[in-house]
Amino acid sequence: MKKTSAFILSLILCLGLLSGCGTSETNTDTSAAETSAGTTAAEASDQAATAADTGELQEIDTLTIAFSPYADADTVITSTEPLEALLQEKLMEKGYDVQEIDMSVGTSYTAVGQALSAGSADIGFISGGNYVLFSDDCDVLLTALRYAISKDSEDPVDWNDGTLEENTEEMSTYYRSVILAGPSEKGQELLAKVNAGEELTWEDLDSATWAVMDATSASGYIYPSLWLQERYGKTITDLSNVVESDSYTTSLSRLAAGQVDIIVSYGHIRVKYASDWVEEFGGTDEMVNQTGILGVSEPIYNDMIAYSETSELMADESFRQALGEAFIEIAETEEGKEIISVFSQIGYEWGDDANYDGEREAQELLKSLED
């Protein structure tokens, strides 16, 4: 009996030693391979700890981003160029190794919505108006935050006090559309009437030449149309002299040159471009002296980063979460703030489709008026 017990005990000890020897040999081989590749044992340990925390890296070939034409394409591309490396770094921290980030500027707001709808863009920087039009095929990832500006009244006279609007320290989830008169004779004639407290007639406005954005732009088309409808029972389509611009900077160039009398835009356009009015756009005096507000819209919910629901990549909820977190964190850095300033944005919060129900109502009303 004692011999049998001793044999069993010896067998157990032997198996334990063999198991221990096997483990030791495996670790030694791994360490040697890593060291020969230039990785120290300490680095390998750190990498193992990171892997334990974040899991294995998932490799992604390409993330495709489409920007709406908030400014001319060259300006947007140049300003956002550093975003690729920052985004890759942040996503790597979150377990995603993105090999390439393909960034482009749409030829129009509609083009970006169409890209999201088709899945040829994974995410897009778009307006609320554009989102609503294509929301069957895309959804909100993040809503942009902006600095509120110092003027927020719906009375245009309050904007024409001889001082330029300024950013405040407050963050805002909405902005307004403005009808901006330029230095042309007609533009100044209409501005003088507004500042004198006189109501503009439809004939006044119809006699001017307008620059607008495409029909999906909230501040560049939809809300100015609603402003016209509420006061005159008309929309942009009823105006006699309208030209469509491919970007707001194109509209500003036309306004400064006197090619158009009025442009429609987001309310902080003078905050953003006043310093460029003379040198970049050809103004002959300070922007505050050559332009003025004829009308101000009701609040518009901010632009967003939307994701395509037809994109195979964006079907991964975990990746969407990581991507949203990455943008929020990048926007909290000085470099990130500099990049997204080209969109007049200062940060992001998680978006909600329901926040754009007001936009849907606006578009439905506009559609009913134009049918």
Side-chain angles (χ1 to χ4, degrees):
M1 184 72 178
K2 287 181 181 179
K3 289 181 179 179
T4 302
S5 299
F7 174 76
I8 292 172
L9 179 60
S10 297
L11 181 60
I12 292 171
L13 289 171
C14 183
L15 289 171
L17 288 170
L18 286 172
S19 174
C21 289
T23 304
S24 175
E25 288 171 359
T26 301
N27 287 341
T28 301
D29 291 345
T30 302
S31 298
E34 289 173 343
T35 302
S36 66
T39 304
T40 66
E43 288 171 339
S45 177
D46 289 342
Q47 290 173 357
T50 300
D53 289 338
T54 63
E56 292 294 326
L57 283 175
Q58 295 186 42
E59 186 171 305
I60 293 171
D61 290 335
T62 307
L63 171 65
T64 304
I65 303 175
F67 301 114
S68 292
Y70 297 101
D72 65 89
D74 288 342
T75 298
V76 174
I77 289 298
T78 300
S79 300
T80 58
E81 185 177 1
L83 180 60
E84 180 175 359
L86 291 175
L87 202 50
Q88 286 174 318
E89 181 181 352
K90 280 292 180 184
L91 288 171
M92 182 79 76
E93 293 172 5
K94 300 177 188 302
Y96 294 93
D97 182 9
V98 181
Q99 299 295 301
E100 180 184 0
I101 297 180
D102 181 5
M103 300 187 294
S104 63
V105 182
T107 55
S108 67
Y109 282 74
T110 301
V112 177
Q114 289 170 337
L116 289 170
S117 183
S120 55
D122 298 310
I123 62 172
F125 285 61
I126 62 174
S127 68
N130 204 14
Y131 168 67
V132 168
L133 187 64
F134 293 97
S135 59
D136 285 347
D137 297 315
C138 62
D139 203 351
V140 187
L141 182 67
L142 302 172
T143 290
L145 298 172
R146 305 178 189 273
Y147 285 120
I149 60 174
S150 54
K151 297 174 184 176
D152 194 42
S153 169
E154 291 190 19
D155 184 349
V157 176
D158 294 336
W159 295 63
N160 299 330
D161 61 359
T163 66
L164 196 66
E165 305 79 64
E166 296 179 346
N167 285 326
T168 69
E169 292 300 315
E170 297 179 12
M171 290 189 181
S172 176
T173 56
Y174 75 88
Y175 64 108
R176 296 182 186 274
S177 173
V178 294
I179 299 170
L180 184 69
S184 69
E185 183 178 350
K186 175 60 69 173
Q188 291 299 301
E189 173 192 324
L190 300 183
L191 183 58
K193 288 190 70 172
V194 167
N195 289 338
E198 299 178 36
E199 291 288 338
L200 294 176
T201 66
W202 172 254
E203 289 70 26
D204 287 331
L205 296 171
D206 193 43
S207 65
T209 300
W210 294 55
V212 305
M213 302 299 290
D214 73 42
T216 65
S217 172
S219 61
Y221 194 97
I222 295 171
Y223 280 80
S225 284
L226 290 174
W227 184 89
L228 289 170
Q229 191 277 327
E230 289 168 0
R231 288 158 179 78
Y232 307 101
K234 308 281 189 178
T235 68
I236 284 174
T237 58
D238 296 306
L239 291 166
S240 298
N241 305 294
V242 176
V243 295
E244 184 178 313
S245 296
D246 59 356
S247 70
Y248 287 113
T249 49
T250 297
S251 287
L252 281 175
S253 294
R254 289 171 170 168
L255 191 70
Q259 296 172 358
V260 298
D261 308 303
I262 294 171
I263 69 169
V264 290
S265 175
Y266 46 82
H268 48 285
I269 192 163
R270 296 198 297 185
V271 177
K272 184 174 181 179
Y273 290 115
S275 60
D276 299 323
W277 178 252
V278 174
E279 291 188 8
E280 297 294 328
F281 300 114
T284 57
D285 194 358
E286 292 182 14
M287 191 175 187
V288 69
N289 296 329
Q290 290 199 290
T291 63
I293 308 298
L294 303 180
V296 185
S297 80
E298 62 187 76
I300 309 168
Y301 215 80
N302 280 351
D303 292 0
M304 71 182 72
I305 300 176
Y307 68 89
S308 170
E309 292 190 314
T310 59
S311 159
E312 183 177 345
L313 173 60
M314 299 311 295
D316 184 342
E317 185 177 356
S318 296
F319 179 70
R320 294 202 307 267
Q321 180 73 22
L323 185 60
E325 290 173 356
F327 272 112
I328 289 172
E329 292 167 14
I330 288 171
E332 291 172 347
T333 68
E334 290 304 314
E335 187 174 7
K337 289 182 187 299
E338 179 67 23
I339 293 169
I340 65 175
S341 67
V342 72
F343 311 124
S344 299
Q345 298 170 0
I346 59 170
Y348 302 101
E349 65 180 21
W350 293 105
D352 185 346
D353 174 79
N355 290 334
Y356 296 88
D357 285 346
E359 188 70 40
R360 289 186 174 91
E361 293 173 6
Q363 288 204 24
E364 284 299 318
L365 175 59
L366 191 60
K367 184 179 179 180
S368 70
L369 293 170
E370 294 177 351
D371 286 342

